[in-house]
Amino acid sequence: MSPPPSELAALREATLEQVRAALAEAVTPDRGLLQGVRALDEALEAENRLAERLARWAAEAAGAARQPPAAELLPDAPEPLRELQVAWRESGARGERLRDWLEAQAPDVAPSLAALLGPLLAARVIAAAGSLPRLARLPGSTIQTLGAERALFAHRGGGAPPPKHGLLLAHPLVRDAPRRERGRMARRLAAKAAIAARVDCYGGEPCGAELLAALGSDDPVK
Amino acid sequence: MSPPPSELAALREATLEQVRAALAEAVTPDRGLLQGVRALDEALEAENRLAERLARWAAEAAGAARQPPAAELLPDAPEPLRELQVAWRESGARGERLRDWLEAQAPDVAPSLAALLGPLLAARVIAAAGSLPRLARLPGSTIQTLGAERALFAHRGGGAPPPKHGLLLAHPLVRDAPRRERGRMARRLAAKAAIAARVDCYGGEPCGAELLAALGSDDPVK
């Protein structure tokens, strides 16, 4: 015997309610960071590709050697070549605006992490982890090599040396350290990033500046 | 003993003259077609990538299922998402203008081939060969599989069946033929394309319409 129509309707409504709740949970503010970081990478890639095509075509049209993409085009350059240059400039400007937006958003989503890593790098690390809650569950050693997945697989599969840093290499404390100190600095920064991510995810008091100061003060590099 | 400076200067001038001549020869009108075809393919790829990112981000921002890229954005959509939609529209419009330009150029560069294949397909075939002079040196059997290089390598290396058509599948005579007739039609069309390319390259009288008529009239498909 099938249930009466009123029970089916109630069941349907309850199911819909569950789906709505799951969606609302999925759309946390850090999702915007993830999409923004991917859109930024794609804009940079598009900009490079346009620059490459533009440089080649311009060189051929001028019968000259390779030209920089910003070089002024000859008066008789074909129209699509002019449009390539416009598209290249626009792609670059769009990337800039995306970067500005990410830098404005990241401190709202993850204030401690943004203070520790800088807002753009914080956004990249969150995006690499998939979300802020996922990042908050990762150990420092995993955060240390986020963005170096390819090198990590090469290490596991083929005996290559383990990667010492991934995205965190972009941080001044790592980047500007002497080469042989970089691995150690990346490990310490990753440990602080793990703390910052947990504080940001579970609503603690922002502590990025303190974490950064602790790193700098007892470190001979700085 | 080294030659006197006046001889060195003359040698230098002669060398430069040779380089200039080589460059002038390299910059034939068909080079523009090649660059244009590649720019068109890159514009289509960029358009697809923007559409993909836009659809995903819009769906997440709206907490809804996947959205078509042209869907109107919610009033509170983030600014970079709006810019993605603008960039997607512009990329599509740029592709359209590139296509129009290629269709206008191809009959100037290769009138017979443009009449036989249609101007856009003619431009694609010239670009796939590398240039009109190179296309004019290819046998029909190679023209038949231009654009199917991957399938051709699979055939040679791994015993896969040989490809029956590459770019030429876009021609109505091939595309609209019954499936088992397509290979034969592609072979006949490629043979005519080889003739058209030679006539265009060596400055003969345009003959595309005649070649096309010959294909159509004695073919049971049409």
Side-chain angles (χ1 to χ4, degrees), chain A residues 23 27 31-32 35-36 38-39 42 45 49-50 53 57 60 63 78 80 83-84 87 90 94 97-98 101, chain B residues 23 27 31-32 35-36 38-39 42 45 49-50 53 57 60 63 78 80 83-84 87 90 94 97-98 101:
Chain A
L23 273 173
V27 189
R31 301 302 298 166
Q35 295 292 339
R38 294 196 180 154
E42 287 162 3
E45 202 183 312
R49 190 159 302 189
L50 288 164
R53 178 64 46 215
W57 195 346
E60 282 196 0
E83 294 202 4
L84 264 183
E90 275 173 5
R94 191 163 62 84
R97 290 189 300 265
L98 255 168
W101 182 83
Chain B
L23 274 172
V27 189
R31 302 303 294 167
Q35 296 292 337
R38 294 197 178 149
E42 287 161 6
E45 202 183 312
R49 188 160 305 187
L50 288 165
R53 179 63 48 215
W57 196 345
E60 282 196 0
E83 295 204 5
L84 264 183
E90 276 174 4
R94 191 164 61 84
R97 290 189 300 265
L98 256 169
W101 182 83

Side-chain angles (χ1 to χ4, degrees), chain A:
Chain A
M1 241 176 63
S2 57
S6 69
E7 274 185 38
L8 272 181
L11 184 64
R12 184 170 178 279
E13 189 48 45
T15 309
L16 279 176
E17 190 49 50
Q18 279 187 329
V19 170
R20 271 186 220 112
L23 273 173
E25 194 168 333
V27 189
T28 52
D30 59 337
R31 301 302 298 166
L33 287 188
L34 184 97
Q35 295 292 339
V37 165
R38 294 196 180 154
L40 174 59
D41 287 340
E42 287 162 3
L44 294 174
E45 202 183 312
E47 188 187 349
N48 283 336
R49 190 159 302 189
L50 288 164
E52 186 68 21
R53 178 64 46 215
L54 174 58
R56 286 199 199 180
W57 195 346
E60 282 196 0
R66 238 180 115 75
Q67 310 251 316
E72 202 179 330
L73 298 171
L74 293 179
D76 62 345
E79 191 55 33
L81 185 51
R82 294 193 185 289
E83 294 202 4
L84 264 183
Q85 199 170 47
V86 172
W88 169 69
R89 291 216 165 89
E90 275 173 5
S91 202
R94 191 163 62 84
E96 288 294 331
R97 290 189 300 265
L98 255 168
R99 194 177 286 128
D100 291 347
W101 182 83
L102 285 168
E103 287 181 346
Q105 296 288 310
D108 283 351
V109 175
S112 307
L113 200 66
L116 178 66
L117 300 181
L120 187 61
L121 183 55
R124 284 195 176 284
V125 168
I126 292 170
S131 70
L132 181 58
R134 272 201 226 164
L135 181 64
R137 286 193 294 269
L138 293 181
S141 56
T142 301
I143 297 176
Q144 186 183 345
T145 54
L146 275 180
E149 283 74 14
R150 205 183 297 178
L152 196 65
F153 290 136
H155 164 58
R156 287 195 185 148
K164 295 203 196 73
H165 31 58
L167 290 167
L168 293 187
L169 181 58
H171 195 283
L173 279 179
V174 182
R175 193 184 55 208
D176 299 343
R179 185 170 284 272
R180 69 196 161 72
E181 291 286 335
R182 281 188 198 155
R184 198 175 65 90
M185 186 46 100
R187 191 177 68 244
R188 295 181 56 210
L189 183 59
K192 303 292 188 205
I195 298 170
R198 283 163 211 171
V199 169
D200 287 339
C201 185
Y202 303 117
E205 279 298 304
C207 62
E210 292 85 331
L211 290 170
L212 191 61
L215 263 185
S217 62
D218 62 4
D219 179 61
V221 171
K222 193 153 182 201

